[in-house]
Amino acid sequence: MREKYDVVVVGGRVAGASLAVHLRRLGMSVAIFDRGELPGDTISTHVIYPNTIARLERLGALERIMAHRPPPLYTAWHHQNRMFVAPHTSDEGRDWALCIRRSTLDRHLQDIARESGVDVFEKAQVKALFGAGTENDPVHGVTIESDGKAVAVEAGLVVGADGVGSTVAGMVGAKRERSMPTKTMLYYAYWVDVDTRNTQDFFFEPPWICAHFPADDGHHVVTMNGPVDARRGIQDMETFYLDRIHSIPQLWGRLTRARKVSEVRGTPRLEGFYRKQAGPGWVLTGDAAHFKHPASAQGIGDALHAAEVLAPMIADNTFRERYPLWREEVSRDLYAFCEFLADIPTDESMRQTMDVLIHDPVAARAVVDIWSRSIAPWDAMRMVPPMLSAAGPSPEAVLEKYQGRIPAVVENSSAA
């Protein structure tokens, strides 16, 4: 371990590893410190869209990921024995999505980081920062605990890529702001020997939504999304999850010969937020900087996008001014859309929505393109009046409710 780096990145998963690769390509010395044993697994959305697939290709990761044979996926919605299927608008020749487990994705990104010359340290937890992160006392390094020893490492910049409960954010006092409550929770498990197809399928059974995502290496992700208020009454999540899946014949029929190969994982704590993203000697990225409800499926894509944009800002030392402005510009409409996604649909609203999407393929493609970021959410929803009615007249009308809102919660200060 060197005594000094240009950049120390705290957290070695998608956000941290991808940023480290881009920084190395710009000639900077970089170390990653992660408190866990990499790659491991982590609670995550799994689906990525054409824009994100292109970013993985630019990183040199796509060929490695495709060797695990994740099937290309179009999007299908099911409600009351009706369905529609739509592709995305093509990006670099791809009009489909992929579902990739984080144990696969993170491993390849970490391998690429090491091959790029990034020093990656596992089971190395940040215990303190050098400097308070203020104008009079900038951050200029970290104290790491590794193998029971405290190690001091100087750095020109410390990056918090350590997730929702960011330790770096806690140490510099970057609290959650503009918090967006959620009415829904999300749980999932991995399965094998499932009937495979080239769709990611959403089964709307209000107030529940279950989904099936064929993934890499013959695995499948089966999710359950429903009212967060129901969580307190669920004593056995494994049994509840299986009963919920079993209640949807179209989904359960795919699983009759399948095996569940993981525990049910998830959380009811899906509130969105922003944090102050940069200060003297420090910057936050990925979920540490900004978190959206996972129904938006933007976590991986946002992290890879930020890595491409933030690295040159760090290299030319303009990140404090430019990065927060960029983040605000690219996130605001999708963040407003998350209020709609975090709500609970009704049968009537779904019937009206499906009436449009089944008969209007242009509108159907526009709606699925919201997730691939090739159309602004409100531009798509204007083609689907029931969605627009539920979401509100504009993103501005939604976001006005959250300006300056700081939740009365205690920050989780666990590190990545």
Side-chain angles (χ1 to χ4, degrees):
M1 186 184 300
R2 295 166 50 170
E3 294 181 355
K4 185 174 183 179
Y5 293 88
D6 293 326
V7 182
V8 160
V9 179
V10 182
R13 296 187 179 276
V14 171
S18 60
L19 177 61
V21 171
H22 286 295
L23 291 170
R24 278 296 300 144
R25 291 177 179 176
L26 293 171
M28 307 186 80
S29 61
V30 186
I32 290 173
F33 295 100
D34 195 293
R35 72 171 184 174
E37 186 172 359
L38 301 174
D41 200 0
T42 186
I43 294 176
S44 177
T45 54
H46 294 72
V47 179
I48 60 172
Y49 296 93
N51 57 333
T52 300
I53 295 170
R55 291 191 172 97
L56 287 174
E57 187 169 42
R58 291 194 287 272
L59 274 170
L62 184 58
E63 185 176 352
R64 303 182 192 204
I65 288 166
M66 295 307 293
H68 297 269
R69 300 180 64 82
L73 304 174
Y74 293 138
T75 299
W77 288 12
H78 304 255
H79 178 253
Q80 294 185 340
N81 296 317
R82 298 193 300 167
M83 67 174 292
F84 82 88
V85 179
H88 293 278
T89 296
S90 180
D91 186 327
E92 299 191 17
R94 305 179 188 96
D95 62 356
W96 34 265
L98 292 174
C99 180
I100 310 167
R101 291 172 300 153
R102 289 294 297 274
S103 56
T104 299
L105 176 61
D106 291 358
R107 172 161 59 88
H108 288 303
L109 291 178
Q110 289 149 13
D111 286 347
I112 291 169
R114 290 184 172 95
E115 293 162 12
S116 300
V118 177
D119 291 340
V120 180
F121 300 95
E122 304 174 40
K123 298 181 179 179
Q125 185 167 359
V126 174
K127 305 301 289 187
L129 301 178
F130 300 159
T134 63
E135 298 295 344
N136 295 328
D137 189 16
V139 172
H140 57 280
V142 296
T143 298
I144 303 295
E145 184 178 283
S146 180
D147 294 327
K149 300 178 182 178
V151 181
V153 180
E154 293 186 53
L157 179 72
V158 173
V159 177
D162 47 346
V164 169
S166 171
T167 289
V168 175
M171 290 178 172
V172 298
K175 298 185 180 299
R176 298 183 184 191
E177 300 176 350
R178 289 183 279 172
S179 176
M180 181 180 289
T182 177
K183 295 180 181 179
T184 56
M185 59 182 175
L186 180 65
Y187 287 82
Y188 65 88
Y190 296 129
W191 297 69
V192 297
D193 299 328
V194 180
D195 291 343
T196 300
R197 56 202 68 207
N198 288 92
T199 49
Q200 55 165 335
D201 293 272
F202 297 86
F203 300 90
F204 292 86
E205 299 281 348
W208 298 93
I209 305 170
C210 294
H212 169 210
F213 308 108
D216 56 288
D217 290 329
H219 286 73
H220 298 249
V221 184
V222 179
T223 71
M224 177 191 74
N225 183 19
V228 71
D229 291 345
R231 182 64 186 92
R232 292 181 181 178
I234 300 172
Q235 301 300 316
D236 181 345
M237 181 56 74
E238 293 278 336
T239 299
F240 186 90
Y241 166 87
L242 290 172
D243 287 345
R244 190 75 259 149
I245 301 296
H246 191 274
S247 72
I248 303 173
Q250 289 172 285
L251 176 55
W252 187 251
R254 305 177 185 186
L255 304 174
T256 54
R257 294 184 298 274
R259 293 180 293 118
K260 188 167 75 70
V261 293
S262 75
E263 63 182 6
V264 176
R265 308 186 67 189
T267 178
R269 300 191 63 182
L270 301 175
E271 298 84 3
F273 63 84
Y274 287 85
R275 286 189 175 111
K276 179 181 178 182
Q277 290 145 36
W282 62 272
V283 66
L284 304 177
T285 190
D287 287 347
H290 169 54
F291 179 75
K292 298 182 183 72
H293 193 283
S296 69
Q298 297 299 307
I300 295 170
D302 281 356
L304 293 172
H305 191 187
E308 285 187 340
V309 172
L310 179 57
M313 295 179 185
I314 290 172
D316 66 14
N317 198 31
T318 61
F319 67 93
R320 288 185 61 188
E321 298 78 24
R322 295 172 58 202
Y323 175 55
L325 295 175
W326 169 83
R327 172 80 68 178
E328 192 72 21
E329 179 182 356
V330 301
S331 68
R332 61 185 306 279
D333 284 8
L334 223 297
Y335 192 54
F337 182 58
C338 283
E339 184 188 61
F340 170 75
L341 295 177
D343 207 345
I344 299 169
T346 65
D347 276 319
E348 182 58 29
S349 67
M350 286 306 306
R351 275 193 294 270
Q352 294 176 9
T353 297
M354 294 294 282
D355 284 343
V356 177
L357 299 179
I358 288 171
H359 295 100
D360 186 344
V362 174
R365 178 178 290 221
V367 166
V368 301
D369 274 347
I370 295 173
W371 279 263
S372 61
R373 308 293 279 270
S374 55
I375 189 171
W378 266 257
D379 289 344
M381 288 190 293
R382 289 187 186 99
M383 303 182 196
V384 189
M387 292 182 69
L388 183 63
S389 176
S394 67
E396 290 77 18
V398 174
L399 294 174
E400 184 178 5
K401 294 179 282 187
Y402 303 106
Q403 294 301 321
R405 186 176 188 275
I406 300 177
V409 299
V410 177
E411 290 284 328
N412 179 350
S413 60
S414 60

